[in-house]
């Protein structure tokens, strides 16, 4: 709870500032049974992702990494942590909609697209599904 103002500021900066989603549509209510995962560097939150229940399905989303730290593998590790933690809690399947970079990431984990891209504010999103049986864990270094 103490970190949520910082997380929401980052969410608004990315989703409103970069994607044109109205700031008032970005906040999530507590009733969504949400669980947030964050990555911190030098005492500062630099990324987050959330899982929540919607229509009796587990959704994953709200994935952000500070823009100057993207493409360094930070987001990949954060999303893996979130998936694996939720699977340890008994979650079997995940539903999400994502921009192209998110689709590529989730498909590299064993996810599949379940429909065509559709317009969503400044761009398109594609529906994606990941079942725990298809999840590809990170290969361990030899």
């Amino acid at each position: 709870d103490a970190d949520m103002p910082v997380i929401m500021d980052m969410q608004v900066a990315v989703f409103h500032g970069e994607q044109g989603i109205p700031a008032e549509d970005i906040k999530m209510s507590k009733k969504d049974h949400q669980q947030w995962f964050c990555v911190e560097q030098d005492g500062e939150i630099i990324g987050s992702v959330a899982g929540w229940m919607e229509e009796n399905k587990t959704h994953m989303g709200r994935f952000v990494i500070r823009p100057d730290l993207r493409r360094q593998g930070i987001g990949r590790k954060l999303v893996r942590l979130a998936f694996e933690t939720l699977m340890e809690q008994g979650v079997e399947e995940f539903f999400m909609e994502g921009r192209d970079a998110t689709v590529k990431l989730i498909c590299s984990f064993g996810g599949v697209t379940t429909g065509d891209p559709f317009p969503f504010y400044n761009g398109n999103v594609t529906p994606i599904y990941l079942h725990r049986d298809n999840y590809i864990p990170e290969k361990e270094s030899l």
Side-chain angles (χ1 to χ4, degrees), residues 5-139:
V6 173
I7 292 168
M8 282 296 110
D9 286 348
M10 184 180 299
Q11 296 278 310
V12 169
V14 170
F15 294 122
H16 177 68
E18 294 179 12
Q19 300 178 16
I21 300 171
E24 60 272 10
D25 291 347
I26 296 169
K27 301 209 186 289
M28 292 176 67
S29 68
K30 293 271 186 189
K31 68 180 180 178
D32 295 320
H33 305 285
Q34 57 194 278
Q35 188 168 351
W36 287 87
F37 300 85
C38 301
V39 61
E40 190 177 5
Q41 182 179 39
D42 299 326
E44 179 185 354
I45 294 174
I46 60 167
S48 64
V49 65
W52 68 93
M53 293 302 293
E54 186 177 304
E55 298 176 8
N56 294 319
K57 296 178 181 179
T58 302
H59 284 252
M60 182 74 77
R62 305 301 179 99
F63 177 42
V64 298
I65 297 295
R66 203 172 75 190
D68 61 316
L69 297 172
R70 293 177 185 162
R71 294 177 181 74
Q72 297 181 26
I74 297 166
R76 175 175 283 279
K77 289 179 183 177
L78 175 61
V79 172
R80 276 200 186 280
L81 171 71
F83 278 135
E84 290 173 4
T85 300
L86 291 169
M87 284 188 268
E88 287 173 6
Q89 295 172 6
V91 176
E92 294 286 323
E93 54 190 11
F94 301 89
F95 297 86
M96 58 210 92
E97 294 85 26
R99 306 280 183 190
D100 290 345
T102 300
V103 171
K104 183 178 177 181
L105 176 67
I106 303 307
C107 288
S108 76
F109 293 168
V112 295
T113 60
T114 60
D116 294 327
F118 59 91
F120 188 76
Y121 296 98
N122 294 347
N124 292 323
V125 294
T126 303
I128 320 162
Y129 170 80
L130 175 65
H131 191 279
R132 74 179 300 137
D133 291 343
N134 298 326
Y135 177 71
I136 301 168
E138 185 171 35
K139 295 177 184 168

